[in-house]
Amino acid sequence: MLDADIEKCFDRISHTALLAKLQTFPFLRRVIKGWLKAGVIENGAWFPTEEGTPQGGVCSPLLANIALHGLEQAITSAFPALVQKERWKPTVVRYADDLVVLHSDKAVIEQVQQLVSTWLAGMGLALKPSKTCITHTLTPCENHLGFDFLGFHIQQFPVGKTHSGKGRDGRRLGFKTIITPSEQAMKRHQEALKEQIKAHVALPQKVLIKHLNAHIRGWSNYYSSVCAKRCFTRMDTYLFQMLWQWSNQRHPNKSAKWRAKTYWHPEQGKWQFASKDCSLRLHRMTPIKRHVKVQGTKSPFDGNWIYWTKRQGNHPETPPKMAYLLKSQKGTCAQCGLYFKDGDQLEIDHRIPVSIGGTDLYINLQLLHRHCHDLKTATDGSVATRRGTDDNSQTVEEPDEVRSLTSGFEAERRG
């Protein structure tokens, strides 16, 4: 695979080539040209901008994506779809100025590298030699193994048949792909924690905890979908060492026992860096939840609210109570165990009927198919309770809200 990085992408984009790719009306083209040619002011002096887009600007990422648009198509169109009944087009993944190209043949990757260099030259850009390399995810190649992309390290490891990944045809591959935080990302995070602690040496403990929690929560959530537990433990160990130095710097004449009791409170059963008002959130407190890829044909605007409610736990067309139950039951009926499908009639049922003492708490609610609800109601004792009394004031279980799993397109067709 080719791990490529474009050198000074935002600073060297050709204005002429960029404006030629803008497919818009003349007035907006003139406005964008005015932005690009406006120049910059530094230390009171004006400097012209003959190339590049202003970094940090609102439109800078958009203009850079416009400039690089078409690179993926240029790579894939240069190769046939199939060679000896095997897929031969390379797989291209680009995010801003970071580019990864995957293929099973090294000769194709070398050809892609030349193709990319030629295409970028037309935009006034070039690959950065120090960050561009050809590597392999399973075996070492040119002193490289695996690759880093967007702060993640992707590498494959040989494993036995019980842990092996499978191809599209179901055949065992003999290896498993592991994604972890990259070493550079962990070093940057350690430096950021170190700077936060150094900046709060003289401030109260709760102020330091507030700033650290925000940084730790954001970094941990970013990596919570990959194999990051060991990395989280490593970051927590480093954080403890830095905080111990922080406490020693604040109280150089106090004993270690006093500092531990003051800031970590071991007498409460565990060491936890906390004040009276708040406690430190450790990296390992963030649960690992694997990311499930969105199905290729699904869109939040297609009206299939059952898919998005099960995936996200909310949807504009779904009542909050039903959305909670649908996500907690993972899209299955609590009675029959089958998945809910588009067009099914759903009802919220009380596990213990209200007529015999059930409550409206979430723990007593479940989501069922309408016919499953009818079967359950016939056997849960609520019908017998209603028949056994003539008191019209007796509280009985009323039919719950019915929701049909009909997509927006189907509803429009029927209407």
Side-chain angles (χ1 to χ4, degrees), residues 141-367:
C141 179
E142 299 182 3
N143 298 324
H144 296 283
L145 182 60
F147 65 97
D148 295 343
F149 190 66
L150 303 181
F152 296 94
H153 180 74
I154 296 92
Q155 186 176 340
Q156 294 170 335
F157 297 86
V159 294
K161 63 179 182 179
T162 57
H163 293 84
S164 173
K166 294 183 179 180
R168 296 181 179 180
D169 56 357
R171 181 175 52 87
R172 288 189 176 92
L173 301 175
F175 59 82
K176 187 174 184 179
T177 303
I178 302 295
I179 304 176
T180 59
S182 66
E183 287 292 332
Q184 293 296 328
M186 288 190 287
K187 288 181 180 179
R188 289 194 299 267
H189 183 55
Q190 288 178 343
E191 289 297 323
L193 294 176
K194 185 177 180 180
E195 293 298 325
Q196 288 280 355
I197 294 173
K198 282 186 175 181
H200 296 84
V201 173
L203 295 179
Q205 182 188 15
K206 64 179 182 180
V207 178
L208 173 62
I209 291 176
K210 179 181 177 181
H211 286 83
L212 286 178
N213 279 350
H215 198 84
I216 292 171
R217 183 180 291 107
W219 193 84
S220 301
N221 286 339
Y222 182 71
Y223 293 103
S224 62
S225 61
V226 299
C227 303
K229 270 299 180 184
R230 291 184 179 180
C231 299
F232 287 173
T233 303
R234 176 178 167 184
M235 294 297 104
D236 288 338
T237 301
Y238 175 83
L239 182 60
F240 173 79
Q241 295 171 349
M242 294 302 302
L243 290 175
W244 187 259
Q245 294 179 10
W246 172 84
S247 66
N248 189 27
Q249 187 176 359
R250 286 171 64 95
H251 309 284
N253 298 323
K254 296 292 185 178
S255 65
K257 184 177 180 180
W258 183 92
R259 286 184 278 121
K261 184 177 180 180
T262 303
Y263 293 110
W264 278 272
H265 318 289
E267 70 278 0
Q268 297 181 2
K270 62 178 180 179
W271 286 54
Q272 185 176 19
F273 191 76
S275 64
K276 294 182 179 179
D277 303 325
C278 57
S279 60
L280 181 66
R281 176 188 175 87
L282 299 178
H283 298 78
R284 61 176 177 267
M285 292 180 179
T286 302
I288 300 296
K289 295 182 179 180
R290 295 287 179 252
H291 172 73
V292 179
K293 185 179 179 180
V294 177
Q295 295 181 11
T297 59
K298 301 298 182 183
S299 167
F301 307 103
D302 61 8
N304 189 357
W305 62 270
I306 182 174
Y307 174 82
W308 293 103
T309 304
K310 183 176 68 175
R311 181 180 178 89
Q312 299 178 339
N314 59 76
H315 191 274
E317 299 180 6
T318 312
K321 186 183 294 185
M322 186 171 290
Y324 173 84
L325 295 174
L326 191 60
K327 184 174 179 62
S328 62
Q329 295 177 200
K330 299 181 180 180
T332 60
C333 175
Q335 183 75 6
C336 65
L338 299 178
Y339 283 97
F340 295 123
K341 297 181 179 179
D342 192 21
D344 288 350
Q345 298 289 332
L346 273 63
E347 293 183 351
I348 298 176
D349 171 64
H350 293 82
R351 297 176 185 269
I352 302 176
V354 176
S355 59
I356 57 176
T359 65
D360 288 329
L361 299 177
Y362 275 106
I363 195 174
N364 191 45
L365 299 179
Q366 59 184 354
L367 197 60

Side-chain angles (χ1 to χ4, degrees), residues 354-355 385-386 388-398:
V354 176
S355 59
T385 302
R386 289 197 294 268
T389 179
D390 294 329
D391 187 0
N392 294 330
S393 64
Q394 177 72 28
T395 301
V396 297
E397 184 176 17
E398 296 293 339

Side-chain angles (χ1 to χ4, degrees), residues 72-106:
E72 298 95 325
Q73 185 178 1
I75 295 174
T76 56
S77 61
F79 299 91
L82 297 174
V83 173
Q84 296 180 355
K85 297 182 179 181
E86 292 186 2
R87 181 182 176 184
W88 202 249
K89 283 186 179 295
T91 300
V92 183
V93 181
R94 182 180 68 84
Y95 187 89
D97 58 341
D98 291 331
L99 180 71
V100 172
V101 184
L102 307 173
H103 198 274
S104 58
D105 193 332
K106 185 178 178 180

